[in-house]
Amino acid sequence: MPVVTPTRAIDRLRKAANLEPTKKSVELSDGTTFEMWVSPLTMAERERAQKQAKSDDANAFALQLLISKALDENGTKLFAPGEIDILKNEVKDKDLQTLMLAILTDDSEAMDPKS
């Protein structure tokens, strides 16, 4: 009879994580669609973004996540750290907020409309 080795908790968690990037589509204020690929947020990424934000400001934190996590379909970063001022000063706040929210939102956490 084969011996069944129980799965370790850490292995179960890593398997369940599925950190592959998924496509996110955001409608911009001009009616066009902006597409980006984003992997689920890890604790290490959250900690790095908080450190890079250099403040407790939620917008600075979310902007750091946008810079580090938004990818194109080939896995290339869409934004460079040096573009933060451009994003803050030359992009509509509504569009920037929508993009940052898309980074922070895990599609699997979407609200069930029946609840």
Side-chain angles (χ1 to χ4, degrees), residues 23-100:
K23 183 178 177 180
K24 303 243 181 175
S25 297
V26 173
E27 185 175 338
L28 300 177
S29 57
D30 67 357
T32 61
T33 301
F34 185 90
E35 294 178 344
M36 61 184 167
W37 279 254
V38 180
S39 60
L41 182 63
T42 66
M43 183 179 281
E45 291 169 330
R46 178 183 300 275
E47 289 171 351
R48 264 192 307 276
Q50 286 171 330
K51 185 176 180 181
Q52 291 168 334
K54 298 178 182 150
S55 76
D56 290 334
D57 180 48
N59 282 326
F61 164 72
L63 190 54
Q64 288 297 329
L65 284 178
L66 178 66
I67 296 289
S68 67
K69 294 190 65 65
L71 307 172
D72 68 12
E73 64 273 7
N74 299 314
T76 304
K77 290 186 180 219
L78 291 174
F79 306 105
E83 296 174 323
I84 288 176
D85 283 340
I86 296 169
L87 288 167
K88 288 169 70 173
N89 293 298
E90 299 180 29
V91 175
K92 273 189 174 180
D93 183 59
K94 176 183 176 185
D95 290 339
L96 193 53
Q97 294 292 331
T98 304
L99 290 170
M100 292 186 305

